[in-house]
Structure formats: structure tokens, C-alpha cells
Amino acid sequence: VKLAVPYGQRALVAGKRLAETLPTSAGESYRASFEFTQPSDGIDLMAGPWVVREKTVSRNAQSPPQSPLVLRTFFPADLDATPGLAQAYLDDTQAYIERYSKDIGAYPYSEFSIVASPLPTGFGMPTLTYLGAEVLRLPFIRKTSLGHEILHNWWGNGVYVDYQRGNWSEGLTTFMADYAYKEDESANAASEMRLAWLRDAAVFAGEKSGTLREFRSRANAAGATVGYGKAAMVFVMLRDRLGKKAFDQGIRNFWTAQQFKIAGWDDLQTAFERASGEKLGAFFAPWLDQQALPAVAIARAESSRTGTQHQLNVSFNKQDARLPLRLPLEISAAGRRETHWVDLGAERNSASINLDFAPQTLRLDPEMRVWRRLEASQLPPILRQWMAASAPQLVNVARPLEANVAVNQLSARFFETKPKPGQLSTALSSKNPVLLAGTHADIDQALASTGLPRRPASLAGQGSAQVWTVSGKTFQLAVISGQDAAAIIALQRGLPHYGGQSWLIFEQGRAINKGIWPASVPEIIVSSSPRKDNK
């Protein structure tokens, strides 16, 4: 591809840049030529008034040796002028490419560019990512989205997705990027991400969101829960089953066998079977082809002693669990805590574990390592339950005209389905989620007049807007409260991105604090049966 654009502009397409001619006067054009020798489903061309910065990285240490890697930023002048920003993107890009080259196999291209878009886009293409200029300013993007898009040069742009057999790429990329960065941060951060996936799953458990094998691309929150969250959790469970060494080898096998080919879930299964020496059809088939979210809970736990040993017998209640489950049990006693894994077939509802101590309490999967329906105590309300509701209700109590209009505009961005307007007392008598919105004074009056819980003390007086959920026995209520119309309008951009939260505090549209209401993992008391003496 040969490009020519007017003076002051730069342009590029995916691929290797072969030549470039910079204009020396206003009457000349910028010219460049590119080649891409691998299969492609089209050519994406980007042009803009960018300042281009470049970094060359030696790759001689790799085997076989490769030509130097060229990294570039294409930023508008004001973004490029941000001290250290372009260099930070170049350095972080180098680190990500080195990381994934080691984990998967050599980076398959000669360059990578971060290209700024005037719109809030997020695209990954071979050799480049096209991200919104305003997004690139955010300090956390280099720690999250950048690595995700770079990894797509292996998954999606290096091994192509067979969309007829399901999109595995987004789940594997989420697992090896977004989730892996949480694992790097801490075990608790990784657990919180798994918990967030499971809470989202609970929101959509009753909807026909499709199976994982049917997932093609993210069309809504329900689809994203399957194609990103569930798919990533499948890889978490697979690694727990195979062990890290065999799992990592399976990833490398997949890349080696499928590079620049169209691949599906079956090809991933084959790669992991080669690495582990196991047949994995019984693992992959149910997780890919069954839509139901399995629900499993401990029904009863009893321990008996024989000599110095203790036998723990555990019975389970299961629902929508017509698939094999491998579950971790945390077993505790005074001064002891151990985790044991039990295998439950589709028809099996009990397990026995031999221990050298007397167990006192049990917790099922306390670290959230299995894709399943959480118990009620683990499911505090989150905003996604309102955003993705099929029949949401809106109660707009803002009395100032500007604030009233602002609430209606915000609701159009907040909900995936148009809400039904109504009065608070009537709306609360319905089982459908209710969003109450208005100014601080209007909200406080509405809550008081209907006897609902007052504004949480932990949120009161903070920020220009507050958002929180209320869990009632007969109703589902979320509240958006702004100090004025401007504060409510400012929520339009940011609030829709916080579906996984129970409460937030905003200062002129920027989230300054957020969280999820406390939850707990049910703890089961182990009963003791009479001692069995050996004869």
C-alpha cells in the first residue's frame, strides 16, 4: 500500500513500513509505503495531524535472531506535549512485547504503533492499536488496555478466530492480560476480579445470553459476561486442573501450531491435550456448550474418626449443574486450614476426604475459582442489575427543570433498555429494578416520604454526585443523587462504565471513590459422628 497525504498529516496502515518521505514545504505531501504479507480480512487506513515518536529495540537475544523492533506513537501535538507520556507508552509497549514473546512465542511483526483517535475508540489491529486520545491520557490505560491490545497481536491478529466455531480470542486475551495484571498485583486483586465476573453472571443467569461456543463479539453486557468473563474463568479452571507448567506449554503449543491460521476452541483443546497428556473433551464440552450457570452449595458436612484419621463426608445441593464440577473446599480447625479439591460428576452429590485432624468448619470455593452461581450472601446489589434490566423503571424526582432534563438524558446512557417512567410508591411494588434520580434535596425528600433507608452516612456530604444501591426484601432500588443539573449531566460519560459497583462518589463526573457492599462466604459447621475404632 502506498500512501500520500497533505502536508501536516501522517498516515499508516497495518504492516511493515518500507519507506517514508517527509515533506519539506507546505506544497509537498507526506508519502509512505507498507507491506503486510500475512492473510488479512481488509485494510484499515488511519490519517491525522500527528507528531510521531519512535523507539528501536534490539531483538538479537531471541532465537532465531530477528530484525530490530520499531515502536512508534502517533499523537496529536497537545497529547505529545504531555511530559514523558509518549516515552512511557513506548517503554511499556516494549515491556509487554517482551513479556508475551517469552510466554507465548516471538512477536510476529516488525513494529508496533500506538495511534491516537479523535473519537473514544479501542481497536486492535496487526502491528498497531487505535485508541481515543482522551483515553490515552488516563494514567491506568498503560497498565490495562495497552497490554490487552498488544496481546491481540498474538490472539486474534496472530492466530485468527474461526467465528463459525466461537470467539475464543477475547477470553484468552482477558485471561492473559487484564486478569494476569491483577494476579501480578496481588492474590486478593485477582480474587476480586473473579468475584466480579461471577456477580455479573448472577445478573444474567435467567437470560438467554447464549453458550460460550456461540459467542462471536460483545453486543451487550450479557454477551460480554459470557465471551470475556466466563471464557477467562474457563482458562482459570483449566490451569487449576492441569497445573501451571502444562497449561503454559499448551499456550505455546497453540501458538506454534496455529500461527497465522484460523483456529477454534477445538484447536485449543488439542494444544492442551498435547501438553498435559490428558483427554479434555469432558472438560471443554460442557463449559462451551451449556448455558446454565451451575448452582452448588454444601447441604451437610459430617466427620467421623477412625484411629488417628478423620473422614469428612460432605453432601451438596446442586441446581443447573449437569456437568462435571471440580470444587475447592477450605477446611478449618483450631490452628489448621487446608484446601482440598473434590470432583463431582453430573450425577454425583457427595464427596469424602481423609484428614489427619478433626475438621470444624467448611467454606466452598472461598476464592471464587469456579464458574457458578454465587449464594445470596455473596451477591450484594451492583449497578449492572439496573443497567442491563429487561424492564427497568425510572423515577425522576428532580423538580428544577434543568435537573429533570439532565436525569432523562442520563437515563438514556445508563440503561440498555428504555426505562418505564413512574411514581416511586407504584414502582416499588413491582419486581422490576427501580432507578430513583434527582437532586440531593429531592432525593432526601423522596426517601423520607416513602420510609426508605436514608442516604448512606458513608456517602453523605462527599462529591458533587452520589450513586448507591438499596437491597430490599420486595424491591430493587438504585439511587442517583446530584447537587445540581451540571453534576447529573457530568455522570453521562463515566457512570455507565461502573456496572460492577454497589456505590460511587463522583466529583464533576470523575469517580473519586467506589465500592461493593460487604459480602461473606457461607461457613458450614461440621458435625461429628461417633468414633469408629479399628478392631
Side-chain angles (χ1 to χ4, degrees):
V1 176
K2 295 181 179 180
L3 306 174
V5 293
Y7 180 86
Q9 301 285 314
R10 295 291 186 94
L12 74 162
V13 297
K16 181 178 181 180
R17 193 174 73 188
L18 300 176
E20 178 187 51
T21 302
L22 300 176
T24 58
S25 65
E28 297 180 359
S29 297
Y30 168 84
R31 297 179 181 276
S33 60
F34 297 80
E35 73 170 8
F36 188 71
T37 59
Q38 304 298 338
S40 175
D41 60 2
I43 299 173
D44 300 292
L45 186 150
M46 287 138 279
W50 294 307
V51 176
V52 181
R53 298 192 181 272
E54 189 172 290
K55 178 180 183 179
T56 301
V57 179
S58 173
R59 295 195 287 180
N60 291 332
Q62 294 190 1
S63 180
Q66 293 180 288
S67 60
L69 176 66
V70 181
L71 310 177
R72 301 185 183 95
T73 56
F74 289 74
F75 288 177
D78 61 333
L79 185 64
D80 182 77
T82 304
L85 186 64
Q87 188 61 47
Y89 269 98
L90 293 172
D91 293 344
D92 288 347
T93 297
Q94 177 184 350
Y96 282 122
I97 289 178
E98 289 175 349
R99 171 180 182 150
Y100 291 123
S101 295
K102 179 181 178 181
D103 291 347
I104 304 169
Y107 179 69
Y109 304 114
S110 60
E111 48 218 271
F112 188 85
S113 299
I114 303 102
V115 185
S117 162
L119 300 175
T121 58
F123 295 120
M125 304 153 188
T127 73
L128 64 91
T129 183
Y130 191 53
L131 294 172
E134 293 305 313
V135 172
L136 289 166
R137 298 179 192 276
L138 300 174
F140 59 85
I141 291 299
R142 298 201 318 273
K143 297 179 180 180
T144 55
S145 300
L146 177 63
H148 183 107
E149 298 302 341
I150 289 172
L151 181 53
H152 270 309
N153 278 266
W154 281 267
W155 311 135
N157 294 323
V159 178
Y160 307 126
V161 174
D162 184 347
Y163 288 97
Q164 297 303 311
R165 292 190 288 162
N167 184 349
W168 51 268
S169 171
E170 294 298 351
L172 184 54
T173 302
T174 298
F175 170 78
M176 294 188 69
D178 311 65
Y179 176 70
Y181 308 151
K182 291 296 184 181
E183 286 190 314
D184 293 344
E185 182 181 332
S186 69
N188 185 63
S191 179
E192 285 295 325
M193 178 167 275
R194 296 191 299 271
L195 177 57
W197 293 337
L198 295 179
R199 284 176 172 155
D200 284 348
V203 171
F204 303 108
E207 299 188 16
K208 295 181 179 180
S209 52
T211 67
L212 183 50
R213 201 186 294 274
E214 292 170 339
F215 173 74
R216 302 295 180 260
S217 63
R218 173 167 50 188
N220 51 37
T225 296
V226 173
Y228 290 71
K230 180 179 181 179
M233 185 67 99
V234 166
F235 290 110
V236 171
M237 294 188 294
L238 181 61
R239 186 179 60 182
D240 283 344
R241 174 184 174 133
L242 301 182
K244 187 176 186 303
K245 182 178 179 180
F247 181 89
D248 290 349
Q249 185 59 53
I251 291 292
R252 290 188 287 269
N253 289 349
F254 182 60
W255 172 249
T256 300
Q258 305 299 332
Q259 186 174 349
F260 297 120
K261 298 177 182 178
I262 297 173
W265 281 105
D266 293 345
D267 300 302
L268 270 165
Q269 178 181 326
T270 298
F272 286 112
E273 287 179 341
R274 286 184 52 210
S276 65
E278 294 185 37
K279 292 296 183 182
L280 297 172
F283 173 86
F284 276 95
W287 291 116
L288 297 184
D289 297 324
Q290 291 191 28
Q291 178 178 307
L293 183 65
V296 57
I298 298 173
R300 186 175 64 258
E302 185 178 80
S303 172
S304 60
R305 181 176 177 180
T306 303
T308 60
Q309 295 294 304
H310 299 263
Q311 182 173 307
L312 174 64
N313 297 309
V314 186
S315 299
F316 299 87
N317 290 327
K318 297 195 302 183
Q319 181 180 353
D320 292 330
R322 297 178 300 278
L323 73 173
L325 288 170
R326 184 171 181 266
L327 300 165
L329 285 176
E330 182 189 81
I331 307 171
S332 299
R336 296 287 294 269
R337 179 172 296 176
E338 296 181 359
T339 297
H340 292 256
W341 290 80
V342 298
D343 291 297
L344 296 183
E347 305 301 326
R348 186 181 177 194
N349 297 323
S350 63
S352 295
I353 302 170
N354 292 320
L355 302 167
D356 61 2
F357 64 96
Q360 296 176 348
T361 61
L362 292 182
R363 293 199 302 168
L364 174 65
D365 188 21
E367 295 183 356
M368 322 299 169
R369 306 195 70 89
V370 179
W371 185 258
R372 60 190 177 87
R373 188 195 299 264
L374 296 178
E375 297 186 49
S377 64
Q378 299 170 273
L379 290 171
I382 58 175
L383 291 173
R384 185 112 54 228
Q385 294 168 237
W386 283 261
M387 294 176 176
S390 58
Q393 302 176 90
L394 171 65
V395 178
N396 183 349
V397 295
R399 285 177 291 182
L401 178 60
E402 289 185 357
N404 191 281
V405 172
V407 166
N408 289 329
Q409 291 176 341
L410 175 60
S411 72
R413 295 288 304 274
F414 182 82
F415 292 110
E416 290 186 5
T417 301
K418 186 176 180 179
K420 177 183 178 181
Q423 300 298 314
L424 185 56
S425 58
T426 305
L428 291 176
S429 64
S430 166
K431 295 182 179 180
N432 294 320
V434 179
L435 174 65
L436 172 66
T439 64
H440 291 339
D442 297 324
I443 291 296
D444 289 337
Q445 181 177 340
L447 294 175
S449 65
T450 51
L452 289 166
R454 300 167 64 180
R455 183 186 306 268
S458 58
L459 277 61
Q462 300 187 60
S464 59
Q466 300 149 12
V467 182
W468 70 94
T469 59
V470 181
S471 181
K473 292 183 178 180
T474 59
F475 62 85
Q476 301 177 65
L477 177 67
V479 183
I480 297 176
S481 179
Q483 65 184 17
D484 51 29
I488 297 171
I489 291 173
L491 298 177
Q492 290 188 31
R493 184 170 184 177
L495 181 56
H497 298 287
Y498 290 97
Q501 304 300 317
S502 295
W503 60 267
L504 298 111
I505 300 171
F506 287 89
E507 183 60 55
Q508 298 305 324
R510 183 174 65 88
I512 59 174
N513 207 348
K514 64 184 187 300
I516 299 172
W517 300 128
S520 61
V521 178
E523 190 169 60
I524 306 299
I525 304 298
V526 179
S527 62
S528 298
S529 61
R531 172 174 176 157
K532 298 178 181 179
D533 292 318
N534 292 324
K535 294 183 179 180

